[in-house]
Amino acid sequence: MATAIGGPRVLLRQLREVMAEPLPSQERLDKIVDLIAVNMRTDVCSFYVLRDDGALELFATHGLKLESVHLTTLRLGEGLVGLIAAEAEPLALENAPAHPAFAYRPETGEDPFNAFLGVPVLRAGQTLGVLVVQNRDRRVYGEDETEALLTTATILAEMVATSEFDSLIKPGSDIDLRRPRTFAGASFTDGIALGQVVLHDPRVVVSNFIAEDTDTELRRLEEAIRTMRVSIDDMLEHGDMQPSSDHREILESYRMFAYDRGWVDRLNEAVRNGLTAEAAVERVQNDTRARMQRQADPYIRDRLHDLDDLANRLLRVLTGDHEGIRFKELPENAILVARNMGPAELLEYDRTKLRAIVLEEGASISHVAIIARSLGLVAVGQAENIVSMSETGDAIIVDGPAGQVHLRPTPEVEQSYVDKVRITAKRRAHYLALRSRPSVTQDNVEITLLHNSGLVADLPMLNDTGAVGVGLFRTELQFMIASKLPRLNEQIDLYAEALRIVGDRPIVFRLLDIGGDKVIPYMRSAVEENPAMGWRSLRLALDRPGLLRTQVRALLMAANGRPMKILVPMVTETNEFRQTKLVVRKELERLERAGQRVPERLELGAMIEVPSLLFELDQLLPEADFVSIGSNDLVQFLTAADRANPRVAKSYDPIAMPRLRVFRHVVDMAKRFNVPLTMCGELAGKPMEALALMAIGMNRLSMGPPSIGPIKEMILGLDLEPIRRSVAAALLEGSDGMPIRELLTEWVERQNLPIA
Ligand code: PEP
Ligand code: MG
């Protein structure tokens, strides 16, 4: 086997010299392929660039006919070069022409070459081109040579991505990684936002690729790996991260990779080949990202994501950039881009500057999405691979209703959105004009529209939407944004402020619903396998009555004589509701004894969101002053499908017959016991779903403020009775009939209802 002259380190040093020379791009590239060929003792070295149109164009060669440069092209997947680009994997062959994918191009004069080694030129998981060496002899390229070529490819990728070759690029052959991109994701909110990307986990930009001194770089790498391992071990031991099992699982996975010999060996190998420690991390990360993009198995994909995150962590240690920009100032019109984030993390940002969030994962009823809506942010989820393709500062447009994201939009796209925003503003003005119209259908059915809210800051929106009041105030959100547990007086002030803002309009305060994915940073809880079904919400409150008592006391005192409505979340058995009533009664008596004002009327309601409760509504309803369906949880538990996991949640339509029958059962029971019923899950804010709910007789709907306008507009045009009859018949008929959603779609068309 031929050995390289001086090895890859010498080659990289020579490359650095070539890059420092003031040469025209083509000349520089020609020199680079010459250097590689000479250093690696190959007869040929060619560099193909992947153009925007999917063609791989020969950009430079040593050893093939020079006339074929910028002439020879191969399609993605065509020939060996196309195969490497498509698979993003190296390919070494002893006898290339015998390979079934071999595509002969006469103009290159490729005939005499048998041995072939090609590697993808990757950056941020994207294939930018292919680097190939060839030899006349039939020979087997060793792993060392593949490594060396991959290392060289890292440098080339950097040159391509930083537009080193701009002057070579012909019109229509835009190879810029930073070209405009559109992502089709899932809609989490309405609204359109134009702004600039802020990466939630900022990527570290590596600028110095070629090592001055390899031993120093090896030491730096070793030191950084040690620091990173200590910090991960530390987090696992002290539970510094959020104590949900998801985070623990991720950390465990980080730890596994951090100690993985294979990964560390690959990093060391890349440094030994002449890269700096940072560049070595990026080089190994490239492989990971490329594999990630081709990986269909969600489990493996997640693990590759973890490995990618870990590499980013290592880069931060190496560059000393531990914090990133997360806690720093946000620019105006900031649009957060993240793989995923918890609701508490979102609340850490300066909300006055934030316009939108874009996630690679998430589901529209995950709490982060709910909070985004409550903050009036535009949100899109499931925008695959957006993190690796964006940079902080990139222009970005988030189209909420379409679930689309335009990264680095063209001026045309941007203009069309500027127009759309203008139209949206008009629509908003239209909804604003509806705010004082009573919410009554054409056939005189009154539908009460209420807000879901959770932050005092979003309560003034009541004035814009004309909603009757607040059907659900999620008190835990205020706890999530606080840095420490709010004391009694702080809680009183907060609830009093909420009451002051809503004035005469009703507001339903829901008792703390923490746990699951709603993590309170300063309250540590044990790690659980299944946090959504774990020690959360009312269960936690009844076990820790101190917290519950303080909150109830604060609510009663904040009322200062005015009426008060308190809602109890996650009731699993009527008995738990009774226990809560007891706590409330005791606090009331305590207040009376102290000679303080008690609410002129106190109503206590229960949330119906745990299936078990459905079977003892006859016990619960006589005890409750009102009830509220939490469809987000109820549907997740009915279908055994995690509300935050779109992979499963999307399979079960919440208004399909079984779920709608459940809701109707609650409606019927509430009527029978004459107890007011509200729907406060996210369903109520979606037009088609809201229509289904109205059709089964639900006439109190509580939703995120931006949904009020569109739902009200639909109500105003609606002739409900015939739809009621038709849905009732469908529910009777069972699964033989038309699916409910299709049935409703027909009605929407027939009545020409304004549903987007
Ligand atoms: C629900 O579960 O539907 C609900 C309204 O509560 P949350 O989304 O806060 O769990
Ligand atoms: Mg709930």
Side-chain angles (χ1 to χ4, degrees):
M1 187 175 80
T3 45
I5 302 171
R9 260 193 268 169
V10 172
L11 173 59
L12 289 197
R13 208 172 308 135
Q14 291 166 337
L15 283 180
R16 184 169 51 199
E17 278 160 23
V18 175
M19 278 171 350
E21 278 178 62
L23 292 174
S25 305
Q26 185 69 51
E27 226 169 283
R28 190 195 309 279
L29 207 47
D30 294 344
K31 268 200 162 181
I32 288 173
V33 287
D34 288 347
L35 272 176
I36 297 172
V38 171
N39 184 280
M40 293 185 69
R41 295 194 170 172
T42 58
D43 300 319
V44 175
C45 175
S46 311
F47 178 40
Y48 296 81
V49 168
L50 180 63
R51 298 192 319 215
D52 205 27
D53 59 2
L56 287 144
E57 177 178 323
L58 180 63
F59 256 58
T61 185
H62 167 105
L64 298 185
K65 286 188 187 156
L66 288 178
E67 311 84 271
S68 58
V69 171
H70 296 302
L71 193 75
T72 292
T73 56
L74 289 145
R75 284 190 314 278
L76 203 61
E78 184 193 20
L80 300 175
V81 169
L83 189 67
I84 293 164
E87 303 274 312
E89 262 182 18
L91 180 65
L93 298 169
E94 196 181 344
N95 181 12
H99 192 282
F102 184 79
Y104 177 57
R105 287 283 190 272
E107 73 275 10
T108 60
E110 204 175 0
D111 344 18
F113 304 109
N114 288 300
F116 175 101
L117 170 64
V119 298
V121 175
L122 298 170
R123 189 168 182 267
Q126 291 286 301
T127 303
L128 299 187
V130 175
L131 185 61
V132 173
V133 291
Q134 289 170 285
N135 277 81
R136 240 171 260 277
D137 313 337
R138 287 196 189 178
R139 47 163 302 216
V140 182
Y141 294 100
E143 268 185 32
D144 292 4
E145 284 158 304
T146 309
E147 266 304 312
L149 203 61
L150 276 166
T151 301
T152 317
T154 306
I155 309 286
L156 274 178
E158 200 49 33
M159 290 166 75
V160 173
T162 52
S163 304
E164 264 294 301
F165 302 135
D166 260 1
S167 59
L168 289 184
I169 299 165
K170 293 178 294 191
S173 63
D174 175 10
I175 53 159
D176 191 356
L177 246 195
R178 312 192 38 70
R179 64 177 177 258
R181 303 223 177 225
T182 298
F183 298 82
S187 164
F188 285 1
T189 63
D190 256 343
I192 289 165
L194 286 84
Q196 50 178 313
V197 170
V198 171
L199 284 176
H200 175 59
D201 257 322
R203 219 181 358 266
V204 183
V205 180
V206 177
S207 51
N208 189 9
F209 273 75
I210 303 176
E212 299 266 356
D213 175 26
T214 297
D215 288 338
T216 311
E217 294 303 316
L218 282 171
R219 270 197 304 278
R220 285 184 64 229
L221 181 64
E222 193 186 339
E223 184 59 34
I225 292 175
R226 195 175 318 125
T227 309
M228 183 190 67
R229 284 175 178 169
V230 169
S231 87
I232 293 173
D233 291 346
D234 223 44
M235 278 190 282
L236 267 166
E237 263 146 50
H238 300 107
D240 265 6
M241 282 186 106
Q242 300 171 357
S244 75
S245 69
D246 274 4
H247 280 84
R248 188 159 193 95
E249 205 179 289
I250 291 170
L251 278 181
E252 295 280 8
S253 163
Y254 280 177
R255 172 145 73 180
M256 187 187 82
F257 285 125
Y259 284 92
D260 182 82
R261 273 253 56 95
W263 186 60
V264 174
D265 285 350
R266 267 181 290 145
L267 289 169
N268 277 314
E269 178 68 22
V271 173
R272 264 187 237 108
N273 278 341
L275 293 180
T276 58
E278 292 90 332
V281 179
E282 175 134 334
R283 143 92 179 78
V284 172
Q285 211 175 356
N286 269 337
D287 295 348
T288 313
R289 293 221 180 102
R291 276 189 286 149
M292 200 149 74
Q293 304 211 336
R294 280 178 289 117
Q295 191 49 250
D297 182 328
Y299 178 79
I300 298 179
R301 232 181 128 101
D302 278 354
R303 297 288 76 78
L304 288 170
H305 263 307
D306 294 344
L307 188 52
D308 193 34
D309 288 350
L310 187 73
N312 231 5
R313 217 168 248 272
L314 186 55
L315 276 180
R316 290 226 189 97
V317 176
L318 278 166
T319 55
D321 175 14
H322 290 281
E323 276 287 301
I325 62 159
R326 184 163 348 159
F327 303 102
K328 294 185 195 155
E329 280 279 292
L330 282 181
E332 292 298 329
N333 298 324
I335 294 182
L336 268 187
V337 175
R339 193 180 136 200
N340 207 348
M341 70 171 80
E345 287 175 288
L346 175 58
L347 289 167
E348 274 170 7
Y349 286 96
D350 175 356
R351 293 183 290 286
T352 61
K353 306 266 180 70
L354 211 53
R355 294 288 160 270
I357 61 166
V358 180
L359 303 179
E360 286 193 358
E361 299 173 2
S364 83
I365 59 168
S366 60
H367 281 114
V368 64
I370 289 175
I371 292 197
R373 281 194 285 277
S374 149
L375 295 173
L377 299 177
V378 178
V380 164
Q382 295 156 49
E384 270 193 43
N385 297 321
I386 190 161
V387 172
S388 68
M389 293 187 197
S390 343
E391 301 278 3
T392 289
D394 279 349
I396 184 169
I397 296 173
V398 188
D399 182 337
Q404 259 189 5
V405 182
H406 302 274
L407 187 63
R408 299 179 288 268
T410 58
E412 296 76 28
V413 169
E414 189 160 339
Q415 187 51 47
S416 81
Y417 272 97
V418 169
D419 296 343
K420 253 194 189 171
V421 167
R422 213 172 288 138
I423 295 166
T424 314
K426 261 195 196 154
R427 265 215 352 245
R428 213 176 301 130
H430 168 64
Y431 295 143
L432 205 61
L434 297 181
R435 78 187 141 168
S436 44
R437 286 198 37 200
S439 160
V440 179
T441 64
Q442 291 282 320
D443 50 345
N444 266 327
V445 182
E446 191 179 337
I447 308 290
T448 306
L449 299 181
L450 301 146
H451 277 196
N452 282 350
S453 161
L455 296 171
V456 169
D458 63 38
L459 291 173
M461 272 193 272
L462 277 175
N463 301 328
D464 302 331
T465 63
V468 171
V470 178
L472 171 68
F473 187 83
R474 293 179 162 103
T475 57
E476 63 276 5
L477 298 198
Q478 291 287 164
F479 280 66
M480 286 163 71
I481 56 173
S483 54
K484 57 183 181 24
L485 195 68
R487 296 172 164 284
L488 176 70
N489 280 340
E490 288 163 330
Q491 287 194 50
I492 297 175
D493 288 350
L494 199 101
Y495 306 139
E497 176 65 0
L499 285 163
R500 188 190 64 74
I501 296 172
V502 301
D504 292 338
R505 294 165 286 204
I507 174 167
V508 174
F509 290 97
R510 181 174 72 180
L511 295 177
L512 278 182
D513 183 18
I514 48 182
D517 66 344
K518 285 186 272 198
V519 179
I520 308 249
Y522 43 84
M523 278 174 69
R524 294 263 162 80
S525 57
V527 173
E528 296 179 301
E529 277 292 320
N530 257 319
M533 297 195 283
W535 192 58
R536 59 173 280 208
S537 195
L538 184 61
R539 295 155 189 190
L540 190 152
L542 290 175
D543 283 353
R544 287 268 171 86
L547 196 63
L548 174 63
R549 273 201 300 269
T550 308
Q551 191 182 26
V552 170
R553 193 173 305 167
L555 285 166
L556 297 179
M557 290 174 77
N560 197 21
R562 279 175 296 179
M564 167 60 62
K565 290 173 190 274
I566 296 176
L567 180 60
V568 187
M570 279 290 282
V571 180
T572 311
E573 297 190 337
T574 306
N575 200 32
E576 293 169 335
F577 185 61
R578 290 191 190 116
Q579 285 181 57
T580 318
K581 276 173 90 172
L582 216 61
V583 173
V584 176
R585 183 159 352 120
K586 278 192 179 154
E587 283 307 317
L588 206 58
E589 287 166 5
R590 193 178 163 281
L591 221 61
E592 277 172 332
R593 274 202 309 278
Q596 302 214 22
R597 293 181 71 185
V598 295
E600 112 197 357
R601 180 174 154 75
L602 175 63
E603 288 174 77
L604 210 59
M607 280 199 76
I608 300 173
E609 53 182 346
V610 180
S612 173
L613 201 57
L614 295 169
F615 301 91
E616 56 171 0
L617 290 176
D618 52 342
Q619 307 287 306
L620 175 83
L621 289 166
E623 303 261 352
D625 296 311
F626 63 96
V627 285
S628 235
I629 299 183
S631 60
N632 305 339
D633 276 314
L634 185 57
V635 171
Q636 96 163 327
F637 295 129
L638 281 172
T639 55
D642 183 350
R643 61 193 265 180
N645 181 350
R647 230 173 274 144
V648 288
K650 72 171 186 325
S651 306
Y652 306 103
D653 185 348
I655 56 166
M657 199 195 53
R659 269 72 71 190
L660 209 54
R661 277 182 172 171
V662 169
F663 300 147
R664 200 192 44 187
H665 169 65
V666 182
V667 172
D668 293 346
M669 290 295 279
K671 264 192 201 135
R672 182 175 340 148
F673 285 87
N674 199 20
V675 175
L677 165 69
T678 305
M679 166 61 86
C680 67
E682 300 309 302
L683 281 190
K686 298 181 178 165
M688 195 64 87
E689 285 77 353
L691 184 57
L693 297 172
M694 289 186 272
I696 56 163
M698 207 166 272
N699 50 18
R700 294 177 57 85
L701 303 177
S702 191
M703 61 197 75
S707 298
I708 299 275
I711 299 280
K712 190 172 194 177
E713 191 181 29
M714 175 182 72
I715 291 169
L716 294 176
L718 181 65
D719 186 13
L720 190 55
E721 192 46 37
I723 305 181
R724 275 193 178 169
R725 280 200 301 271
S726 151
V727 169
L731 289 183
L732 252 185
E733 236 173 82
S735 52
D736 296 340
M738 186 190 276
I740 305 288
R741 191 174 286 275
E742 276 177 38
L743 185 89
L744 290 173
T745 309
E746 278 191 2
W747 278 108
V748 163
E749 277 165 22
R750 209 180 309 168
Q751 296 196 2
N752 200 14
L753 295 173
I755 290 189

